[in-house]
Amino acid sequence: MEQIAWSMPIYKKDKFSISFAACNKHISLYIDANILEIYKSQLSDFTMKKNALYLPYEKKLPVKVLENILKQSFEEI
């Protein structure tokens, strides 16, 4: 299911959700904390807190890692 909540697009299925927001200095990606933990070592250049990944505009996006995270998340949800 797709919806807008907390002024962000959210993709939900059962208890899982993926959402994102554009902020002043970064993009925030909110995803299951267990999935983020799997990719923690590959995202060491980025700030992560609980279930959030912060992607600063001035850094190159880790596109392959993000693809893998999203694919795995959609498998989960």
Side-chain angles (χ1 to χ4, degrees), residues 10-12 14 17 19-21 26 28 33 37 40 42-43 46 50-53 55 59-60 66-67 71-72 74 77:
I10 296 179
Y11 301 90
K12 294 174 90 174
D14 300 326
S17 67
S19 60
F20 56 92
H26 64 273
S28 297
E37 186 65 31
K40 189 176 184 175
Q42 296 174 51
L43 296 167
F46 299 92
K50 202 172 179 180
N51 69 329
L53 173 63
L55 304 160
K59 286 188 180 179
K60 186 175 177 179
L66 292 174
E67 284 177 6
K71 285 178 186 176
Q72 185 167 355
F74 282 114
I77 65 171

Side-chain angles (χ1 to χ4, degrees), residues 16-52:
F16 297 101
S17 67
I18 299 169
S19 60
F20 56 92
C23 302
N24 285 337
K25 297 183 180 187
H26 64 273
I27 298 167
S28 297
L29 177 64
Y30 300 96
I31 207 147
D32 185 82
N34 295 324
I35 293 174
L36 279 180
E37 186 65 31
I38 294 169
Y39 294 94
K40 189 176 184 175
S41 65
Q42 296 174 51
L43 296 167
S44 61
D45 290 342
F46 299 92
T47 302
M48 288 193 297
K49 294 183 180 174
K50 202 172 179 180
N51 69 329

